Amino acid sequence: CFRHHTLFRTKQSVSLESSVCEEMSSQVRLRLLPSTRCLFDEPVQLKVAGLRSRQVVTMRATSSDEKGVVFSSSATYMADGSGEIDLERDPSLRGSYVGVEPMGLLWSMTADTLHKRFQKMYALQPHVVRFSVHEEEGEGKMLAEVTNERLLMADSVTRLPVREGNIRGVLFTPPGGGLFPAVLDLYTFGGGLSEKRAALLASRGFVVLTVALYGHGDMPKNIKEVHLDYFEEAIEFLKKQNKVGSKGVGVISLSKSGDLALSVASYLSGVEATVWINGCSANTALPLYYKKSQILPALMCDFSKVIITKSGAGIGKYAMHNPLAEENKGSLVPIEQAKGRFLFVASEDDLNWDSKAYMNEMVERLKRHGKNNFEGVSYPGAGHYLEPPYGPYCASSFHGFVGKPVLWGGEPRSHTAAEVLMWKKIQEFFRTHLSCDFQTNNKL
């Protein structure tokens, strides 16, 4: 009887322990603070509770972009003595990144195929990320999950497609009765129209017009020349908007559109502040026209100098012709005649071209002309595509001008840190130099 009773109790204990384990698993909680819904450029805090003391788990993030490309990341964590994990406090032991990286699961996401860049072009479509916690052992059973909806546009911002005259773009306007600074977003190269940066800037208190240059709607798919008159028309349209309170406009750019922004600031009136991000100091790729006359020839590149790597992606940093060579100086944008202010932003590990050298050349030129209407910042370890923070870092993708995949440069952690700093710097720059009496909050 005693043996039978002991056996019964042992079986009962095993059954009870099993039941407790199942119950613990079902009690694991994954929390997203302060909310599961936020703007794309806002950090969130991930916390796990209900684990066993010192339990090792894998945390994952998965998402897909507008092209259907799947992006994912994973990192291994150990719970503390209370069975909790806090990504703002605890280090990843291994996985897509190592160390304390509160937003690591977001920026370390990579595509399931080579040479793909994360694309979120349309502001009405949020970046939806699924975070989950999995057992480290066995088949990695999922213990908990939560979905993060990362909005490109604040709920109260208005979005208006623009098709007026030659302009093709989208206008974003903050809510409220106050007046706001105006910004023209020249995210124009690569074809089509990108709304992400413009929508996020509007969510931070700016009236923003983003325009397409080609490949959008009824616009030609390819162009052989650029006309400055198009941007002049866009500036006049922007200045006429009811909620615009700044005397002039700001201009923001990236890559090829960097030299377009320099030309807009140098040749057109009404530009008070220009942000140049990883561009060139000369007009590149396509000749520039104004009032039907060519004002700048195109600085070209030598494709034989593109270095092909084992992955099949090329390095184009050394392919561009030297803009300071005597035969190319005519392509330099005459920024010394600009009346507004410049913010130059350069990545020190840009593999597309030598942005840092172009920035240094422009700074020296402005100094020689007795100008002090500029500030420059460079970021070590950052690559070419500096964008609003917390999107997946892009190591390589297809380059339309080169006609094949290229490496963009940068180390993911350093690149993301640069994006956070740059995004704050850009907003401060525009608020300081776009003179305007406006009523808004930094966060809507």
Side-chain angles (χ1 to χ4, degrees), residues 11-58:
K11 287 180 178 179
Q12 190 179 45
S13 298
V14 171
S15 176
L16 183 60
E17 287 173 8
S18 176
S19 173
V20 169
C21 286
E22 288 177 8
E23 189 177 346
M24 268 192 72
S25 175
S26 66
Q27 288 180 348
V28 174
R29 300 179 305 282
L30 177 56
R31 289 189 296 159
L32 200 56
L33 303 173
S35 171
T36 57
R37 199 166 180 264
C38 64
L39 283 174
F40 185 97
D41 60 357
E42 289 181 330
V44 290
Q45 183 179 14
L46 276 167
K47 284 188 172 185
V48 185
L51 297 170
R52 298 189 304 274
S53 175
R54 309 299 175 189
Q55 183 177 353
V56 177
V57 295
T58 297

Side-chain angles (χ1 to χ4, degrees), residues 30-252:
L30 177 56
R31 289 189 296 159
L32 200 56
L33 303 173
S35 171
T36 57
R37 199 166 180 264
C38 64
L39 283 174
F40 185 97
D41 60 357
E42 289 181 330
V44 290
Q45 183 179 14
L46 276 167
K47 284 188 172 185
V48 185
L51 297 170
R52 298 189 304 274
S53 175
R54 309 299 175 189
Q55 183 177 353
V56 177
V57 295
T58 297
M59 298 192 66
R60 298 176 186 168
T62 58
S63 183
S64 61
D65 68 3
E66 289 165 359
K67 302 291 185 181
V69 178
V70 175
F71 289 77
S72 62
S73 62
S74 65
T76 300
Y77 285 87
M78 178 184 288
D80 63 14
S82 302
E84 297 182 352
I85 296 171
D86 182 347
L87 267 63
E88 288 192 350
R89 175 197 67 189
D90 301 321
S92 164
L93 306 177
R94 55 186 174 273
S96 300
Y97 58 93
V98 175
V100 179
E101 293 292 336
M103 298 291 283
L105 286 171
L106 283 175
W107 58 251
S108 70
M109 286 197 293
T110 56
D112 57 1
T113 52
L114 270 178
H115 311 315
K116 293 293 183 181
R117 185 165 68 92
F118 176 79
Q119 297 202 41
K120 277 290 178 188
M121 310 283 279
Y122 305 106
L124 297 178
Q125 300 177 2
H127 175 30
V128 179
V129 183
R130 192 185 80 163
F131 295 105
S132 54
V133 185
H134 300 256
E135 290 181 345
E136 180 70 3
E137 307 86 9
E139 298 179 0
K141 174 186 173 184
M142 187 170 68
L143 304 176
E145 68 175 337
V146 65
T147 298
N148 185 198
E149 190 177 15
R150 306 185 64 78
L151 308 174
L152 274 66
M153 182 174 75
D155 292 337
S156 45
V157 170
T158 60
R159 174 187 178 275
L160 177 67
V162 176
R163 185 175 177 176
E164 183 169 318
N166 294 309
I167 306 169
R168 300 293 182 270
V170 180
L171 178 72
F172 294 93
T173 307
L179 297 176
F180 304 91
V183 175
L184 178 64
D185 189 338
L186 300 186
Y187 205 117
T188 55
F189 230 67
L193 184 73
S194 178
E195 301 178 16
K196 178 173 69 175
R197 186 170 64 183
L200 287 169
L201 276 175
S203 300
R204 300 301 176 189
F206 300 90
V207 177
V208 188
L209 173 65
T210 181
V211 293
L213 189 57
Y214 66 98
H216 175 71
D218 60 352
M219 303 183 88
K221 290 185 177 180
N222 294 291
I223 54 174
K224 295 183 178 180
E225 58 195 39
V226 178
H227 289 261
L228 210 54
D229 312 69
Y230 177 73
F231 304 111
E232 186 172 50
E233 188 178 346
I235 289 172
E236 289 308 309
F237 172 84
L238 185 54
K239 288 167 66 176
K240 290 176 183 176
Q241 300 307 304
N242 292 335
K243 287 193 175 184
V244 169
S246 52
K247 296 176 183 176
V249 304
V251 179
I252 185 169

Side-chain angles (χ1 to χ4, degrees), residues 391-409:
Y393 160 76
C394 178
S396 62
S397 66
F398 185 81
H399 192 302
F401 187 60
V402 177
K404 61 181 65 179
V406 300
L407 295 178
W408 299 115

